[in-house]
Structures are given as C-alpha cells and as structure tokens.
Amino acid sequence: MRTVLTLRVSPWRREALRTSLWFVPSLLLIAIIGLFAATYALDLHVYDAGITLPAWIQLESADGARTLLSGLAAGVITVLGVVFSVTIVALTLASQQFGPRMLRNFVRDLGTQLTLGAFVATFVYSILTLGSIGGGSRSVTFVPQISVTVALALVFVNVLMLIYFIHHITLLIQLPAVISSIASTLATAIDLQFPARGRSRAENLGTGRTLTELLARLDAEGAEVVATTSGYLQYVGHARLVEIVERHGAVVQLIYRPGHFITRGLPLARVWPPSAADAVLPALARAHITGPHRTIEQDAVFAIDQLVEIAIRALSPAVNDTFTALTCIDWLADGLCTISERELPDGLHRDRAGAIRVIELAPSYERMVNRAYDKVRQAGVGMTAVSMRLLEGLARVVAYAQDDTQRAILYRQADMIMRGCDSTIADPEDLEAIRGRYRDARDGRSAKPYPAPPA
C-alpha cells in the first residue's frame, strides 16, 4: 500500500527569518513608524496648547526644519548604500574564501541586520517628519520640533552604528572568527541534540510493543508514505507528530533524518496499522520541513561539514593554507570530544504512556567521526603537519571515548592516517614523529601538549 504525501512548506520558520536581511529591518521599520506616530501626536499637542519647549528643542523656521531633514535623509540613504555595498563585498569574499555554504552564517549575523535596519528606519523617520511640516490651526506654521530633535538623535545613533559595523565586519570575515563561530554553532547543536550521559529520560522507560515487533510489523504491513517534492529535510516536529500518532493508535517509522536529501517518489515514512495512514498524513506533512539547503537545528553533522569544507579548501593547491586547516582540525576534535561523552539518542519517541510512536534513524557516532576525518585525511595525505595534527586530535577524542565500539571507530581512522603516511612520507624523522602521535592516539594520551621542535 502506497500513499502519496506532499511536503508542505511551513508558513513561518525560525531559521528562514534568521537568515534573511529583511526581517530585522522590517521590525525596526515598524517600530520607527510607531515612534513617529507618538512624537507627532506629542508635537500636535504642544502646538495646539501653545506649550513652550526648551531652547535646545525649538526650531523657529519651517524652512530650516525642511532643509535640515532633507540633508539628514540624503546623508542617511547615502551611507546606507555604502553599508549595503560593504555587506555585498564581504559576502562575495566569504563565498570565495570559505565556500558558498558559509554565506548563510554571514547573512544571519544580527549585527549586520541591525545596522541595515537602523539606517533604513532613520531614513523613513526623517521622510515622515519632513512630510509633516506645514499647516496648523494657528498663525504660526506647524513644525514638529520634538520629531526633528528625535531625528537628530537617530542620526547620532547611526554614526555609532556605522563605527560598530566597520569594526564588526572586519572581525567577521577573519578566518579564526569564522571557524570559531561555526564551532560554537556545533557546540550548541550538540547540547540540543545529545543529552549528557546519565540523565534520566522518562520516554526511554516506557511500555508497549517491543521495538523488534514494531519494526517487523512496519516492514511487513506498514503503509508507505511517498514524498512528492525533493529537498533537504531541515526539521522534524517530533512532539506534535507523537501526539497525532498516539491519537490514532499508530506507529510511524521515519526513513530520513534532518540533513538527508529527500527524493520525490521515494518513501518518506511507513505507518502501521495501514488503516491509520490517511489520518496521519496531515501530521506528517506539518511535521516535516524541507528546503533547498541544510540547517543546523537538528543536524549537527552540518556544522562538521562546514569545518571540513574550510579545511579541505585550505589544503587545496590553489590556497595552500595549512594553518587554517590545522585550526579546523582542532575544532573538529573538540566537537567530537563533546559528542563522545554525550548520550546518543536511540531514535525512539514515545507517548505519555511510554509506548513507541515514532521511530527514526538514530544518529551514528561512526558517521560523525568519518565525516570529520575522512575528507581532511584524504586532502592532507602526504602532509606531515596535517597528519600529526589529525592524530593529536584523535588522541584527545580517544581519551573521551566511552566504550570499545567508539574506540574501534577512532582507531580505524588512526590506522588509515598511519598507512597513508607510511606510503607517502619518506623522511625517517618525520615518520617517527608521526608514529609517536599514532601511538598516543592508540593509547588515548593527550594530557600534555607536544614540545616545540628546537630552533
């Protein structure tokens, strides 16, 4: 039995808003319109009541106010063009140096969004204030003196924002900052997806049919739900899906994890009993969010891939930046150390009674280790510094490994690095230094830094 499911795009996705250059400026624009409404109402009250304002607020001439506001608006929009140009140049450089997938990290930067929004908001406020000059019920022409003063204050804030933006964008495009930012994102994703060992979780202590029985029934009798759109799976709403599936007394097996590419026409999930498939279809559609690219929320491997991409670009003959690759290797090892000491989810999601309702592919420790080391190892084959740093990182990760299964996965990487060095590195002293790191990796010794070579 095959049922067709159309994956619908969620109307609001947090990640989509964070990686847009219009959302934060739009919020600031709405806020500035509200501010103008408030200051304009206050100006009208002051004008109608004939209240005398302090001397530093008073503007006697309407023509002077128009000239001032026209100059402010023209200057702000000119600087806004410069800011936008600098942003585009920074994005272009980032795309060339770090890879196109790094662009999302720059676009989602809050400092850039706030700077663009501040200049747009000040320009709109100045135009609104300029249009409000004139008329009035008294013999004196209406001049929104408070609004003009606020416009001057906003321009001063814009000057501070411009200084901040120049400093911020200069730091943002530096390689160590980029790598550290991605590593920080990886750490956040690990905290969200992998709980600390020993933390009790009620959903893992439930009752109901065994996993083996459920998998057998899903394989033999389950109704396949087929995707009709292609794209990367970005997010799965497990909690809401469990509630819907529980209501219909069903079990759902998800075939893909976030980060996987879904192909139109291939099965997306299996539902048992088959009679519940039609009722569960809407919940599956709402729970799955797909898009043209991967996101980090439920896909920690994506951050690993970003660090690997920078490393192999740095190791390419066209770039030949070994130190950048070494920095990436250090942060990759740090992330794997954290993953090694965490509890990897089993992929089972249970209802309140403890019965299994949703089954998904569990995250694989072997997959994460291989994604972190395979491409870097292959790109750095024959490079003594890269091989030594890879082995040093493995030694740190081995020290965090929790069982023999994890250690076997790490030893496999160390063995492949050593075999590559034996076949490509001819200098006996280099080879002996690498063998020392290899022995430490096999033993998990990484308590002290290695001494620097003599000058």
Side-chain angles (χ1 to χ4, degrees):
M1 177 179 178
R2 297 170 71 90
T3 305
V4 175
L5 168 65
T6 300
L7 294 175
R8 295 181 296 179
V9 178
S10 173
W12 182 86
R13 290 182 292 181
R14 181 181 62 182
E15 180 65 13
L17 295 179
R18 288 188 63 187
T19 53
S20 68
L21 287 176
W22 62 265
F23 180 65
V24 171
S26 297
L27 291 180
L28 292 177
L29 188 59
I30 293 172
I32 211 68
I33 291 175
L35 176 62
F36 171 75
T39 58
Y40 181 68
L42 189 58
D43 279 320
L44 286 177
H45 175 71
V46 170
Y47 176 78
D48 293 335
I51 300 175
T52 301
L53 295 172
W56 57 274
I57 296 180
Q58 293 183 20
L59 292 171
E60 301 295 341
S61 170
D63 291 337
R66 290 191 184 97
T67 302
L68 176 61
L69 290 171
S70 298
L72 292 180
V76 167
I77 200 65
T78 300
V79 177
L80 175 61
V82 174
V83 170
F84 183 76
S85 299
V86 171
T87 302
I88 295 300
V89 170
L91 294 179
T92 303
L93 292 175
S95 176
Q96 294 174 351
Q97 187 172 7
F98 311 130
R101 277 153 294 280
M102 302 302 114
L103 286 179
R104 291 177 57 80
N105 294 353
F106 289 91
V107 173
R108 72 187 298 183
D109 178 67
L110 185 60
T112 301
Q113 297 173 5
L114 285 174
T115 302
L116 292 174
F119 280 94
V120 170
T122 301
F123 173 76
V124 171
Y125 186 90
S126 300
I127 294 298
L128 291 175
T129 305
L130 179 63
S132 67
I133 298 175
S137 58
R138 299 166 51 194
S139 58
V140 180
T141 302
F142 172 70
V143 177
Q145 300 180 20
I146 297 177
S147 298
V148 173
T149 304
V150 171
L152 288 170
L154 289 174
V155 170
F156 178 74
V157 172
N158 284 178
V159 172
L160 298 179
M161 288 295 295
L162 180 61
I163 297 172
Y164 159 78
F165 176 74
I166 295 172
H167 169 76
H168 180 69
I169 204 70
T170 303
L171 296 179
L172 192 65
I173 61 176
Q174 294 182 16
L175 262 173
V178 174
I179 297 172
S180 177
S181 174
I182 297 173
S184 176
T185 303
L186 173 60
T188 301
I190 293 172
D191 289 338
L192 292 174
Q193 298 172 37
F194 306 139
R197 288 183 178 270
R199 184 185 302 173
S200 61
R201 296 186 296 171
E203 63 268 25
N204 287 342
L205 305 175
T207 60
R209 293 181 175 86
T210 64
L211 176 61
T212 303
E213 179 185 356
L214 289 175
L215 291 176
R217 289 182 176 271
L218 283 163
D219 185 58
E221 307 171 13
E224 287 186 346
V225 176
V226 180
T228 59
T229 58
S230 298
Y232 287 99
L233 182 57
Q234 297 177 335
Y235 182 83
V236 179
H238 299 105
R240 181 60 178 164
L241 184 59
V242 167
E243 294 179 4
I244 302 284
V245 173
E246 177 188 8
R247 190 179 308 159
H248 296 284
V251 179
V252 172
Q253 181 184 20
L254 306 179
I255 300 177
Y256 297 96
R257 278 186 55 80
H260 289 171
F261 188 85
I262 296 175
T263 302
R264 183 182 67 252
L266 295 182
L268 175 71
R270 296 187 184 93
V271 181
W272 181 83
S275 57
D278 291 337
V280 173
L281 275 176
L284 280 169
R286 289 191 298 269
H288 286 74
I289 297 177
T290 60
H293 47 72
R294 296 164 63 185
T295 56
I296 198 68
E297 275 68 21
Q298 294 182 340
D299 181 18
V301 178
F302 182 45
I304 294 176
D305 288 344
Q306 288 182 314
L307 289 172
V308 169
E309 180 177 2
I310 295 177
I312 60 179
R313 276 177 172 267
L315 293 175
S316 66
V319 178
N320 194 22
D321 184 3
T322 306
F323 287 100
T324 294
L326 299 182
T327 303
C328 292
I329 292 170
D330 289 338
W331 283 112
L332 284 168
D334 179 78
L336 289 177
C337 288
T338 306
I339 292 174
S340 298
E341 64 179 352
R342 298 299 179 91
E343 188 79 40
L344 298 187
D346 55 11
L348 305 179
H349 301 269
R350 304 173 185 262
D351 59 22
R352 289 167 293 183
I356 299 173
R357 293 299 177 184
V358 176
I359 305 171
E360 69 172 347
L361 292 174
S364 169
Y365 183 79
E366 182 177 12
R367 176 173 179 258
M368 289 184 283
V369 171
N370 292 342
R371 293 294 281 267
Y373 278 93
D374 279 347
K375 293 183 177 63
V376 181
R377 171 178 51 80
Q378 295 160 5
V381 64
M383 302 179 67
T384 302
V386 174
S387 299
M388 291 172 64
R389 190 62 64 89
L390 285 171
L391 289 170
E392 291 171 13
L394 279 173
R396 292 196 295 270
V397 181
V398 169
Y400 277 85
Q402 301 296 314
D403 50 49
D404 290 338
T405 301
Q406 289 186 352
R407 280 186 282 271
I409 294 170
L410 299 171
Y411 292 160
R412 173 179 172 271
Q413 286 291 337
D415 292 342
M416 287 190 290
I417 295 171
M418 195 64 242
R419 286 198 298 269
C421 293
D422 286 335
S423 61
T424 58
I425 297 177
D427 187 87
E429 292 189 10
D430 285 346
L431 203 54
E432 181 57 33
I434 294 173
R435 287 197 182 100
R437 269 66 170 185
Y438 171 73
R439 289 190 293 268
D440 289 346
R442 296 285 301 191
D443 297 337
R445 293 199 300 264
S446 61
K448 296 181 181 181
Y450 292 95

